Amino acid sequence: MAAKYIPLTGAESAAYAMKQINPDVLAAYPITPQTPIVMKFSEYVANGEVDTVSITVESEHSAMSATVGAAAAGARAMTATAANGLALMWEIVYIAASTRLPIVMGIVNRALSGPINIHGDHSDTMGARDAGWIQVYSENNQEVYDNYFMALRIAENEDVLLPVMVCQDGFITSHSVENVMPAPDQVVKEFIGKKKFKGLLTAEKPFTIGPLDLQDYYFEHKKQQHEAMKKVFPVIEAIQKEFAEKFGRKYDVIEEYRTEDADIVIMGMSSVMGTVKEVIDAAREKGIKVGAVKPRFFRPFPGEYLKKILSKFKAVGILDRSDSFGSLPPLFTETAAVFYTSSTKPLVKSYIHGLGGRDTTVKLLEKVVTDLQKLSETGEGNFTSEYLGVRE
Amino acid sequence: MAILLKDLVNKNVPLNGGHRMCPGCPTPVIVKQILMSTDHPKVAANATGCLEVATTIYPYTAWNIPWIHNAFENAAATIAGIESAFRALIKRGEIAEDRKQTKFIAFGGDGGTYDIGLQSLSGALERGHNFLYVCYDNEGYMNTGIQRSSATPIGANTTTTPVGKVSYGKKEPRKDLISIVAAHHIPYIASAAPHNWMDTMNKAKKAIEVNGPAFMDVISPCVPGWKIRTDEWKGISEAAVKTCFWPLIEIENGEWRLTGESKKIADGKMEKLPVEEFLKSQGRFKHLFKLENKDVIKLIQDDVDKSWNYYKRMAGYND
Amino acid sequence: MKEIKKSWKNIPIGGNILEAGNSKNYITGTWRTFIPRLDKEKCVNCFQCWMFCPDNSISIVENKMVGFDYDHCKGCGMCVSVCPTKAITMEKEEK
């Protein structure tokens, strides 16, 4: 049977991927805008389309706790959440990573309270950037779907054994229908393979997980996490290559769009990059040499990749969908830090956009293009940050 | 089949020596009584607390069974995850033959159970996971330096309810956790006291073998927290029961009954001792024996009598 | 007890302890001030001491109480207080 497109929302794309993964255990608690993922997955459970044991926990704290328990037992365990749900999990999010459990968690990015807001921004996962998880950000529904399989392979890789957050933007992606091409079940099954890690129920001998780790060894265990993260990009590259061969869709750590001869580029993550690409197409029509750069991963931070790519351009506008109050926002600061020792570096400008789900419109991004043209010609506005689209 | 000491002594103890619990701490004894009550393979989850901290100081573990500590407030959710993984892996044929009868047990102190972990416990009980949750109840946050919990009794001197010029210690009665758990209508619930090892082990056996969630609250006198000698806890555990401060209760499929000494007292076959017999050897209550605090002892006695009468009524005795 | 501290390269990941029950290699007997002594004549092998010992330090061989695991006994004296025949006594330990 030839593969064909089917209309799915971002949330349904995630659920569809999870159905094909058919994890041993799913423990999740509903929160807008993640709810359609657990609702759809619950239908798959109810109809026997998966044989996953689903734990309908009483909070996100227990969702992550039970997921940790299941993964530690030796099961392929998944969960999904958003915003305040991720915040409630916080303590256990760190424990999942430091215990080196290959959990895949779907994140539907949503603004953190307060005041309470249900729409998309990246304040939730950016806050969790030091938790020790790998983070992959998805621009559209197809990428959401595809990222789940790659995330699982990355997490379970024996050199890695770290959990992965698969992020998509709340509502903008999660609730919008797009054509998605799912792979046949057999292709997925072969790609993800059988789990190799062992847990409390499957290891040959009894062992202890989660001891009290004091001054004499805690530091060594942190070093192990640090080193594991260093091994992630080569693993990602190999898995993306294999994915392209099996699924026919090619991904890179950093996606470049019309950058071949670009003087200026706009960089950002997730759904906004769809609008950015449209703006670039229109600007190109007018003869403006502008392109786009989309890091797919934020953890580990693809600094070396960005250094190589961005040094080709005169000016870069960096879009962050979160703020780091009292400092500059995360994608911007980490990118800028990469160029500390470089003699060739682009001029940079930071934009904080789309907080609380505010639309980042074509008009706003056209202003970014104009800004960057000016920046590249005059150097004016280098290393400054502004709120894009806020009322003054 | 009756549990016999002469059989037990030939079996491997699930918790080795070399752990760093305080000298004279009954909690390792409680763990032994619970885990040795049946021969099933077992997996344990432990809430943060004395037992967790002192039995697994890296790179040493005292545990001979698969064991996990996740965090303070989530032992029930963690064991729920493990038990769910077990059901999934059984379905998929990934559990070895000799582990197919595995049982799941969570241990938490009263802090991790009555207070910070209550939501996690309630959720796991309601969802009907097949596990036993054991609270080793030393009536306070002992691991962090003897602070009050909602399991701390009236009048106890703790570091957050210190006795002072205008304070006699904790003012509020203990939370009735047994009744809270009973409201979940799970198949098996019991309170126990480690001096009566036979009662505790018989209850643990039922709790482990029952299909569905089970809960046990086991009193665990604390040497530094209760300010008692290291060789004293057995007598204090016994006094707790004989004064009806800590009735031995069993609730099987909603049917309440009293067991051990508590049953004898309710049946009029054993004398119910005044609560002073429980309080007198504990340093945490020493101040109550000063003249100015004699009303507090009456307050405690009234609280004990009220609870005792309530449990008796629940167990079908008339006042 | 000299313990060689290992490099991050030579320990299991995640803080896991792979050797179950290895606390038996950790000596807590040094905590002791008083030491229990057994009078075999008086012992009736009721095993109450075994049941109530918090440190798993009662040695049983072929259904006989033969003495104590002094590597781990912390000297709490519980065995003395539960012994029905006064077969165990505590004495000040000479170090």
Side-chain angles (χ1 to χ4, degrees):
Chain A
M1 194 179 72
K4 59 171 191 187
Y5 284 104
I6 57 170
L8 293 174
T9 64
E12 287 165 351
S13 305
Y16 200 102
M18 288 159 74
K19 178 184 83 154
Q20 290 183 304
I21 290 169
N22 191 14
D24 297 311
V25 174
L26 175 94
Y29 187 77
I31 180 171
T32 305
Q34 158 266 32
T35 16
I37 299 182
V38 286
M39 283 159 57
K40 194 72 204 171
F41 195 83
S42 299
E43 278 177 35
Y44 294 140
V45 174
N47 292 323
E49 291 180 70
V50 292
D51 62 355
T52 303
V53 173
S54 163
I55 319 176
T56 49
V57 282
E58 84 297 334
S59 70
E60 286 89 355
H61 193 284
S62 285
M64 184 46 69
S65 300
T67 305
V68 163
R76 218 170 231 169
M78 297 179 81
T79 183
T81 194
N84 297 40
L86 179 63
L88 184 59
M89 290 180 178
W90 215 262
E91 178 196 17
I92 318 304
V93 168
Y94 274 72
I95 291 169
S98 56
T99 310
R100 307 295 298 274
L101 300 172
I103 293 164
V104 173
M105 168 157 65
I107 299 278
V108 183
N109 284 110
R110 163 184 150 180
L112 271 176
S113 301
I116 190 167
N117 174 296
I118 56 169
H119 291 280
D121 75 28
H122 295 171
S123 53
D124 49 5
T125 48
M126 280 301 152
R129 64 188 185 262
D130 292 337
W133 287 58
I134 294 163
Q135 294 185 338
V136 56
Y137 289 79
S138 322
E139 178 187 328
N140 53 46
N141 301 5
Q142 184 72 58
E143 202 176 334
V144 168
Y145 172 80
D146 292 345
N147 278 341
Y148 272 84
F149 307 123
M150 290 186 272
L152 186 83
R153 284 285 305 275
I154 297 162
E156 292 184 7
N157 183 281
E158 282 165 324
D159 286 337
V160 177
L161 288 172
L162 289 169
V164 183
M165 296 180 191
V166 181
C167 307
Q168 61 174 298
D169 283 344
F171 288 103
I172 301 165
T173 309
S174 65
H175 287 59
S176 301
V177 177
E178 288 180 343
N179 276 333
V180 173
M181 186 184 285
D185 291 350
Q186 193 55 32
V187 172
V188 170
K189 211 174 156 186
E190 282 170 19
F191 181 75
I192 63 173
K194 281 201 160 53
K195 56 184 178 279
K196 292 197 187 79
F197 62 97
K198 297 285 181 197
L200 294 172
L201 293 170
T202 52
E204 262 185 46
K205 290 180 180 168
F207 68 106
T208 285
I209 299 179
L212 176 65
D213 200 18
L214 299 173
Q215 300 95 319
D216 52 352
Y217 278 103
Y218 179 89
F219 209 17
E220 275 66 29
H221 289 122
K222 293 296 121 180
K223 175 71 172 165
Q224 289 179 328
Q225 275 179 265
H226 183 90
E227 292 299 319
M229 271 290 186
K230 281 194 195 165
K231 292 180 182 169
V232 172
F233 281 126
V235 171
I236 289 174
E237 290 211 29
I239 288 168
Q240 287 181 151
K241 189 163 173 281
E242 192 187 328
F243 184 85
E245 286 159 11
K246 301 263 169 61
F247 289 71
R249 285 182 293 275
K250 187 177 175 301
Y251 291 96
D252 293 308
V253 170
I254 313 283
E255 182 187 326
E256 292 184 66
Y257 185 75
R258 303 190 75 169
T259 56
E260 316 80 54
D261 61 342
D263 293 325
I264 56 174
V265 292
I266 301 175
M267 180 166 111
M269 301 194 303
S270 294
S271 66
V272 73
M273 295 313 287
T275 321
V276 166
K277 286 170 186 172
E278 285 209 17
V279 169
I280 283 164
D281 288 347
R284 284 271 174 183
E285 292 286 310
K286 294 183 208 157
I288 303 167
K289 290 183 172 178
V290 59
V293 170
K294 182 185 88 180
R296 292 187 353 100
F297 292 84
F298 189 76
R299 279 292 176 271
F301 189 71
E304 288 306 309
Y305 293 86
L306 287 173
K307 192 174 173 178
K308 205 168 144 204
I309 291 166
L310 298 180
S311 60
K312 297 182 291 196
F313 312 118
K314 288 182 186 158
V316 182
I318 300 173
L319 307 178
D320 268 280
R321 207 165 192 142
S322 65
D323 196 354
S324 177
F325 304 105
S327 182
L328 290 160
L331 183 60
F332 179 80
T333 41
E334 298 205 15
T335 305
V338 163
F339 291 99
Y340 184 73
T341 57
S342 300
S343 49
T344 49
K345 53 190 153 197
L347 300 159
V348 283
K349 189 158 173 10
S350 154
Y351 297 90
I352 291 164
H353 77 104
L355 300 190
R358 176 73 53 87
D359 258 352
T360 303
T361 59
V362 166
K363 207 173 153 200
L364 289 170
L365 293 167
E366 282 169 353
K367 176 195 142 16
V368 172
V369 174
T370 312
D371 280 3
L372 293 175
Q373 281 180 292
K374 200 167 148 198
L375 174 64
S376 69
E377 285 156 16
T378 65
E380 199 183 310
N382 188 29
F383 219 84
T384 58
S385 180
E386 70 172 58
Y387 265 49
L388 184 66
V390 79
R391 287 184 301 279
E392 293 296 341
Chain B
M1 213 167 64
I3 298 166
L4 299 171
L5 258 177
K6 69 175 176 59
D7 296 334
L8 291 177
V9 296
N10 293 314
K11 292 179 180 177
N12 289 327
V13 177
L15 192 67
N16 270 2
H19 61 69
R20 283 171 256 183
M21 301 292 277
C22 299
C25 174
T27 302
V29 176
I30 293 167
V31 170
K32 175 165 68 181
Q33 292 173 356
I34 300 288
L35 294 180
M36 293 188 78
S37 65
T38 79
D39 290 332
H40 296 92
K42 295 176 189 80
V43 175
N46 214 149
T48 310
C50 300
L51 179 63
E52 166 267 328
V53 164
T55 57
T56 61
I57 301 179
Y58 194 90
Y60 296 106
T61 177
W63 296 85
N64 286 316
I65 59 171
W67 180 95
I68 184 172
H69 159 245
N70 188 346
F72 190 8
E73 65 286 32
N74 65 359
T78 305
I79 203 78
I82 298 170
E83 184 263 356
S84 302
F86 177 73
R87 282 185 280 134
L89 298 179
I90 282 275
K91 262 201 288 198
R92 296 175 180 196
E94 294 175 33
I95 297 289
E97 198 55 43
D98 60 348
R99 289 186 194 175
K100 285 190 174 164
Q101 300 302 318
T102 301
K103 299 291 182 181
F104 302 92
I105 294 141
F107 290 101
D110 48 292
T113 309
Y114 282 65
D115 292 341
I116 199 167
L118 187 61
Q119 174 183 321
S120 171
L121 173 63
S122 174
L125 298 177
E126 183 271 334
R127 291 190 302 273
H129 295 280
N130 195 7
F131 77 113
L132 164 62
Y133 190 104
V134 178
C135 175
Y136 61 97
D137 191 338
N138 53 25
E139 304 190 327
Y141 296 105
M142 302 319 189
N143 189 44
T144 44
I146 314 160
Q147 292 86 31
R148 66 92 88 183
S149 76
S150 63
T152 306
I154 300 174
N157 186 6
T158 75
T159 56
T160 49
T161 58
V163 172
K165 283 177 187 157
V166 295
S167 174
Y168 58 78
K170 193 188 176 223
K171 306 276 183 299
E172 306 79 15
R174 284 175 292 156
K175 187 188 275 182
D176 180 5
L177 187 61
I178 288 284
S179 293
I180 293 171
V181 172
H184 291 75
H185 306 303
I186 59 170
Y188 191 84
I189 304 159
S191 64
H195 74 279
N196 191 339
W197 64 269
M198 187 63 96
D199 183 70
T200 306
M201 291 188 79
N202 282 332
K203 285 171 173 171
K205 187 171 189 295
K206 283 190 198 176
I208 288 168
E209 287 176 353
V210 77
N211 192 20
F215 175 84
M216 286 180 70
D217 195 357
V218 189
I219 193 168
S220 187
C222 172
V223 171
W226 294 17
K227 296 177 178 59
I228 56 175
R229 292 196 322 262
T230 58
D231 62 351
E232 236 178 343
W233 65 260
K234 182 169 177 270
I236 289 173
S237 168
E238 196 172 335
V241 174
K242 288 186 172 170
T243 55
C244 301
F245 173 89
W246 189 266
L248 299 176
I249 299 162
E250 181 172 61
I251 309 165
E252 226 172 339
N253 296 315
E255 194 184 315
W256 290 60
R257 69 176 77 92
L258 298 168
T259 68
E261 298 95 324
S262 299
K263 180 173 164 38
K264 286 183 189 156
I265 294 167
D267 290 341
K269 291 173 184 162
M270 186 183 269
E271 187 194 355
K272 173 173 176 280
L273 300 176
V275 76
E276 283 95 327
E277 292 303 309
F278 171 65
L279 307 175
K280 67 183 183 188
S281 55
Q282 301 179 45
R284 64 175 173 158
F285 296 121
K286 198 171 77 183
H287 57 288
L288 300 182
F289 292 90
K290 289 182 180 161
L291 200 60
E292 67 265 28
N293 283 329
K294 67 174 192 308
D295 292 348
V296 183
I297 295 189
K298 187 168 179 317
L299 212 61
I300 298 171
Q301 186 67 64
D302 289 348
D303 181 51
V304 165
D305 293 346
K306 204 169 85 179
S307 301
W308 169 243
N309 289 332
Y310 166 73
Y311 292 131
K312 266 204 308 187
R313 276 199 305 279
M314 293 306 287
Y317 292 89
N318 298 318
D319 283 347
Chain C
M1 182 174 28
K2 183 97 176 116
E3 185 187 306
I4 299 151
K5 301 273 165 70
K6 291 178 179 164
S7 144
W8 63 270
K9 296 172 193 147
N10 302 325
I11 51 174
I13 60 166
N16 294 344
I17 303 172
L18 302 183
E19 191 192 340
N22 68 351
S23 67
K24 64 178 185 290
N25 303 323
Y26 187 86
I27 306 300
T28 52
T30 51
W31 297 14
R32 210 167 41 229
T33 310
F34 291 89
I35 187 164
R37 301 286 186 202
L38 173 69
D39 181 345
K40 283 188 185 164
E41 298 289 308
K42 289 186 186 165
C43 178
V44 293
N45 296 303
C46 69
F47 307 129
Q48 291 293 310
C49 53
W50 178 89
M51 174 53 80
F52 292 105
C53 173
D55 292 294
N56 207 13
S57 295
I58 305 296
S59 305
I60 312 281
V61 177
E62 290 173 0
N63 277 313
K64 294 265 187 308
M65 155 66 172
V66 297
F68 305 92
D69 168 6
Y70 289 125
D71 281 349
H72 300 117
C73 165
K74 296 169 187 156
C76 71
M78 183 50 71
C79 50
V80 176
S81 79
V82 301
C83 180
T85 61
K86 295 187 169 32
I88 308 172
T89 47
M90 296 300 278
E91 59 185 57
K92 186 100 194 296
E93 186 170 12
E94 300 300 327
K95 304 227 174 175

